[in-house]
Amino acid sequence: MLGAAALQDLMLQAEILVQYGMRTKAVERLQRIQELFPREEERNADLRQLYMTAGLNPVTWTNSSSATPSPAPAEPRAPQNGGAALSDATDVSSFARVAEITRKLYKQNNADAVMVTGAKEIGTQWKVTRCVIAMRKPGLHTTSVKEYCGDVIKPSEPRILEKIVTSIHDLAISRGGTVMIADVQSGADLAPFAMP
């Protein structure tokens, strides 16, 4: 049986990895903690904080002091299949495949293969209807755009994808690097791209 020292060591490793932006490796450490110390986050406030810092929400957390665990509150996910929002809880196991996807990306020989593999694997993993990956320098046209389309979804026209990618990229730059649109159907930032 592993002791508190092993837990503290794994937590320290995960915390360092999070601080240095190595999220994939941090998730691997947190998964290991989950395997070796099941439900430890219920008793350990520092571990709960580490999960939150890493952006994870283990499904074993309890919202009360009762002995029966209940899932953590669901986080909204991007609309899928006509706009119905998904409400699955983001848990550690949902990120288990991230390391596998990363390994597949490292095996690719060129940027084009990385983009095709990335779009397909990410789109498949998170069950999205469309996943777009692009390369572009600010202010210029895209140099490459790859698109994954789910079942019964037709690929976008290249000129439309170019317009969307360049506009969203410019918007992200103007906002400091991040754009988050919870509802793509009614997002004001996407209004110029709405289909009649």
Side-chain angles (χ1 to χ4, degrees):
M1 181 174 209
L2 296 171
L7 174 62
Q8 289 301 321
D9 185 47
L10 287 168
M11 287 175 59
L12 180 61
Q13 290 173 21
E15 186 173 356
I16 290 169
L17 291 167
V18 167
Q19 288 177 357
Y20 283 98
M22 301 173 72
R23 190 168 190 279
T24 303
K25 292 286 187 187
V27 169
E28 288 174 2
R29 294 302 188 284
L30 293 170
Q31 288 172 328
R32 186 78 174 134
I33 291 171
Q34 193 82 336
E35 291 168 9
L36 297 173
F37 304 94
R39 301 173 70 141
E40 178 65 24
E41 66 277 0
E42 293 175 4
R43 299 178 292 277
N44 188 323
D46 291 335
L47 182 56
R48 276 194 305 274
Q49 181 62 42
L50 182 55
Y51 278 117
M52 291 187 332
T53 302
L56 301 177
N57 190 9
V59 295
T60 59
W61 286 5
T62 58
N63 293 333
S64 66
S65 59
S66 66
T68 308
S70 61
E75 294 179 11
R77 292 173 71 187
Q80 174 182 331
N81 299 335
L86 298 175
S87 61
D88 297 333
T90 304
D91 64 359
V92 175
S93 63
S94 74
F95 288 97
R97 193 136 139 61
V98 172
E100 183 181 330
I101 292 170
T102 302
R103 281 190 289 277
K104 284 184 179 183
L105 294 177
Y106 281 131
K107 290 179 181 178
Q108 304 309 311
N109 295 326
N110 57 51
D112 192 60
V114 169
M115 293 174 67
V116 169
T117 302
K120 180 180 179 272
E121 293 294 326
I122 292 167
T124 302
Q125 169 61 26
W126 281 278
K127 298 175 181 79
V128 298
T129 54
R130 187 178 317 272
C131 179
V132 177
I133 295 179
M135 285 195 313
R136 175 183 184 245
K137 288 184 179 179
L140 300 176
H141 291 285
T142 58
T143 55
S144 182
V145 177
K146 302 299 174 197
E147 177 182 30
Y148 162 83
C149 296
D151 297 336
V152 303
I153 302 295
K154 291 194 286 186
S156 302
E157 292 181 36
R159 66 179 179 77
I160 293 173
L161 273 182
E162 170 77 18
K163 183 177 178 184
I164 292 171
V165 167
T166 56
S167 298
I168 296 297
H169 187 220
D170 291 340
L171 181 64
I173 291 168
S174 71
R175 291 189 180 172
T178 303
V179 175
M180 184 174 213
I181 302 170
D183 183 1
V184 296
Q185 299 292 335
S186 63
D189 295 326
L190 298 178
F193 310 110
M195 300 297 253

mmCIF file of all heavy atoms in Angstrom, residues 1-11 33 36-37 40 44:
data_model
loop_
_atom_site.group_PDB
_atom_site.id
_atom_site.type_symbol
_atom_site.label_atom_id
_atom_site.label_comp_id
_atom_site.label_asym_id
_atom_site.label_seq_id
_atom_site.Cartn_x
_atom_site.Cartn_y
_atom_site.Cartn_z
ATOM 1 N N MET A 1 0.837 -1.180 0.000
ATOM 2 C CA MET A 1 0.000 0.000 0.000
ATOM 3 C C MET A 1 0.883 1.245 0.000
ATOM 4 O O MET A 1 1.857 1.329 0.730
ATOM 5 C CB MET A 1 -0.903 -0.027 1.231
ATOM 6 C CG MET A 1 -1.828 1.149 1.305
ATOM 7 S SD MET A 1 -2.962 0.924 2.695
ATOM 8 C CE MET A 1 -4.316 1.814 2.071
ATOM 9 N N LEU A 2 0.521 2.203 -0.838
ATOM 10 C CA LEU A 2 1.297 3.424 -0.952
ATOM 11 C C LEU A 2 0.911 4.397 0.149
ATOM 12 O O LEU A 2 -0.240 4.471 0.563
ATOM 13 C CB LEU A 2 1.080 4.057 -2.313
ATOM 14 C CG LEU A 2 1.572 3.222 -3.497
ATOM 15 C CD1 LEU A 2 1.119 3.841 -4.795
ATOM 16 C CD2 LEU A 2 3.072 3.075 -3.466
ATOM 17 N N GLY A 3 1.862 5.199 0.576
ATOM 18 C CA GLY A 3 1.617 6.117 1.670
ATOM 19 C C GLY A 3 1.470 7.548 1.226
ATOM 20 O O GLY A 3 1.437 7.876 0.034
ATOM 21 N N ALA A 4 1.398 8.412 2.240
ATOM 22 C CA ALA A 4 1.211 9.836 2.015
ATOM 23 C C ALA A 4 2.375 10.445 1.247
ATOM 24 O O ALA A 4 2.193 11.380 0.463
ATOM 25 C CB ALA A 4 1.024 10.551 3.348
ATOM 26 N N ALA A 5 3.589 9.904 1.435
ATOM 27 C CA ALA A 5 4.756 10.449 0.733
ATOM 28 C C ALA A 5 4.612 10.266 -0.775
ATOM 29 O O ALA A 5 4.954 11.169 -1.551
ATOM 30 C CB ALA A 5 6.032 9.778 1.238
ATOM 31 N N ALA A 6 4.112 9.110 -1.212
ATOM 32 C CA ALA A 6 3.921 8.865 -2.640
ATOM 33 C C ALA A 6 2.863 9.811 -3.216
ATOM 34 O O ALA A 6 3.036 10.358 -4.311
ATOM 35 C CB ALA A 6 3.513 7.413 -2.879
ATOM 36 N N LEU A 7 1.797 10.017 -2.461
ATOM 37 C CA LEU A 7 0.758 10.941 -2.894
ATOM 38 C C LEU A 7 1.318 12.356 -3.016
ATOM 39 O O LEU A 7 1.102 13.034 -4.029
ATOM 40 C CB LEU A 7 -0.425 10.922 -1.917
ATOM 41 C CG LEU A 7 -1.526 11.958 -2.188
ATOM 42 C CD1 LEU A 7 -2.174 11.726 -3.541
ATOM 43 C CD2 LEU A 7 -2.568 11.919 -1.078
ATOM 44 N N GLN A 8 2.039 12.806 -2.013
ATOM 45 C CA GLN A 8 2.612 14.153 -2.039
ATOM 46 C C GLN A 8 3.585 14.306 -3.209
ATOM 47 O O GLN A 8 3.613 15.360 -3.862
ATOM 48 C CB GLN A 8 3.314 14.470 -0.712
ATOM 49 C CG GLN A 8 2.367 14.663 0.455
ATOM 50 C CD GLN A 8 1.385 15.802 0.215
ATOM 51 O OE1 GLN A 8 1.719 16.840 -0.333
ATOM 52 N NE2 GLN A 8 0.141 15.588 0.634
ATOM 53 N N ASP A 9 4.369 13.270 -3.484
ATOM 54 C CA ASP A 9 5.315 13.318 -4.589
ATOM 55 C C ASP A 9 4.585 13.475 -5.920
ATOM 56 O O ASP A 9 4.950 14.314 -6.749
ATOM 57 C CB ASP A 9 6.175 12.050 -4.588
ATOM 58 C CG ASP A 9 7.269 12.105 -5.643
ATOM 59 O OD1 ASP A 9 7.954 13.151 -5.722
ATOM 60 O OD2 ASP A 9 7.432 11.116 -6.373
ATOM 61 N N LEU A 10 3.544 12.673 -6.139
ATOM 62 C CA LEU A 10 2.770 12.776 -7.383
ATOM 63 C C LEU A 10 2.069 14.129 -7.495
ATOM 64 O O LEU A 10 2.011 14.717 -8.581
ATOM 65 C CB LEU A 10 1.749 11.642 -7.463
ATOM 66 C CG LEU A 10 2.313 10.255 -7.756
ATOM 67 C CD1 LEU A 10 1.249 9.189 -7.528
ATOM 68 C CD2 LEU A 10 2.844 10.184 -9.181
ATOM 69 N N MET A 11 1.558 14.630 -6.367
ATOM 70 C CA MET A 11 0.902 15.938 -6.391
ATOM 71 C C MET A 11 1.904 17.042 -6.740
ATOM 72 O O MET A 11 1.599 17.944 -7.523
ATOM 73 C CB MET A 11 0.236 16.236 -5.040
ATOM 74 C CG MET A 11 -1.023 15.435 -4.795
ATOM 75 S SD MET A 11 -1.725 15.674 -3.141
ATOM 76 C CE MET A 11 -2.028 17.431 -3.107
ATOM 77 N N ILE A 33 -2.728 9.424 -9.761
ATOM 78 C CA ILE A 33 -3.222 9.648 -8.398
ATOM 79 C C ILE A 33 -4.613 9.038 -8.259
ATOM 80 O O ILE A 33 -4.912 8.364 -7.274
ATOM 81 C CB ILE A 33 -3.244 11.150 -8.051
ATOM 82 C CG1 ILE A 33 -1.809 11.680 -7.921
ATOM 83 C CG2 ILE A 33 -4.040 11.412 -6.769
ATOM 84 C CD1 ILE A 33 -1.722 13.197 -7.793
ATOM 85 N N LEU A 36 -4.185 5.235 -7.983
ATOM 86 C CA LEU A 36 -3.531 4.759 -6.761
ATOM 87 C C LEU A 36 -4.260 5.159 -5.482
ATOM 88 O O LEU A 36 -4.194 4.452 -4.476
ATOM 89 C CB LEU A 36 -2.091 5.273 -6.702
ATOM 90 C CG LEU A 36 -1.166 4.783 -7.804
ATOM 91 C CD1 LEU A 36 0.180 5.493 -7.724
ATOM 92 C CD2 LEU A 36 -0.988 3.272 -7.728
ATOM 93 N N PHE A 37 -4.928 6.319 -5.531
ATOM 94 C CA PHE A 37 -5.605 6.843 -4.351
ATOM 95 C C PHE A 37 -7.040 7.228 -4.716
ATOM 96 O O PHE A 37 -7.378 8.406 -4.782
ATOM 97 C CB PHE A 37 -4.856 8.070 -3.804
ATOM 98 C CG PHE A 37 -3.413 7.810 -3.488
ATOM 99 C CD1 PHE A 37 -2.422 8.081 -4.415
ATOM 100 C CD2 PHE A 37 -3.045 7.275 -2.255
ATOM 101 C CE1 PHE A 37 -1.084 7.837 -4.130
ATOM 102 C CE2 PHE A 37 -1.720 7.030 -1.963
ATOM 103 C CZ PHE A 37 -0.733 7.304 -2.902
ATOM 104 N N GLU A 40 -9.452 10.165 -3.176
ATOM 105 C CA GLU A 40 -8.620 10.920 -2.236
ATOM 106 C C GLU A 40 -8.993 12.402 -2.245
ATOM 107 O O GLU A 40 -8.894 13.079 -1.226
ATOM 108 C CB GLU A 40 -7.134 10.745 -2.583
ATOM 109 C CG GLU A 40 -6.186 11.523 -1.694
ATOM 110 C CD GLU A 40 -6.184 11.057 -0.239
ATOM 111 O OE1 GLU A 40 -6.532 9.900 0.030
ATOM 112 O OE2 GLU A 40 -5.834 11.875 0.637
ATOM 113 N N ASN A 44 -8.868 15.399 0.654
ATOM 114 C CA ASN A 44 -7.664 16.212 0.556
ATOM 115 C C ASN A 44 -7.957 17.500 -0.215
ATOM 116 O O ASN A 44 -8.074 17.494 -1.443
ATOM 117 C CB ASN A 44 -6.572 15.390 -0.142
ATOM 118 C CG ASN A 44 -5.233 16.049 -0.127
ATOM 119 O OD1 ASN A 44 -5.120 17.256 -0.252
ATOM 120 N ND2 ASN A 44 -4.191 15.244 0.000
#
